[in-house]
Amino acid sequence: VQLQASGGGLARPGRSRRLSCIATGTIFKVHRMGWFRQAPGKQLEQVATITSDGRANFTDSVKGRFTISRENAKNRIYPEMGSLKPEDTAIYYCNARVQEVRGWVPAGHWGQGTQVTVSS
């Protein structure tokens, strides 16, 4: 299983940025998917998650600014980061719990990080 993340880059404060993460490989079912981030000198932080039935959760610092959608047929999620702030600058990592074969226990997988820099 591989998670491919994209969409990082430079964004101006107050603007929006859309990330994408797709899971590929031997997959029976992708359960919860989400994004974590790590800012310089800080610990890894869970930003947003979404279950296979569309229930989403966000860390307090992004509530009301970030949304997340999911396309189950393509095992893909699209976090939309709005009203970006400089403190959103971080490396963003995609995470997913994937059940590779029916009956197997889902396992966690990580994608490569994508840098998001918010600066004027």
Side-chain angles (χ1 to χ4, degrees):
V1 174
Q2 289 187 328
L3 299 183
Q4 296 172 298
S6 61
L10 176 64
R12 303 299 184 194
R15 303 297 293 271
S16 298
R17 191 85 184 182
R18 191 187 202 195
L19 303 179
S20 175
C21 176
I22 184 169
T24 60
T26 301
I27 297 172
F28 170 70
K29 182 177 181 179
V30 179
H31 295 268
R32 188 183 65 184
M33 298 184 76
W35 286 87
F36 290 69
R37 68 185 179 186
Q38 188 164 28
K42 294 189 177 181
Q43 291 185 329
L44 190 66
E45 173 190 32
Q46 179 175 294
V47 179
T49 61
I50 184 167
T51 62
S52 58
D53 59 357
R55 288 175 288 125
N57 277 293
F58 301 90
T59 191
D60 287 345
S61 62
V62 308
K63 283 181 180 178
R65 299 191 297 121
F66 288 16
T67 62
I68 189 168
S69 56
R70 178 166 175 159
E71 194 173 359
N72 284 333
K74 295 184 178 180
N75 295 322
R76 178 178 284 179
I77 58 173
Y78 303 92
E80 182 83 27
M81 306 184 295
S83 301
L84 283 166
K85 303 177 181 180
E87 50 263 45
D88 294 318
T89 295
I91 299 175
Y92 285 72
Y93 297 92
C94 179
N95 174 267
R97 289 191 60 79
V98 180
Q99 188 177 5
E100 295 182 43
V101 177
R102 180 193 292 270
W104 285 17
V105 175
H109 297 270
W110 291 90
Q112 84 285 6
T114 184
Q115 176 73 46
V116 174
T117 301
V118 183
S119 175
S120 55

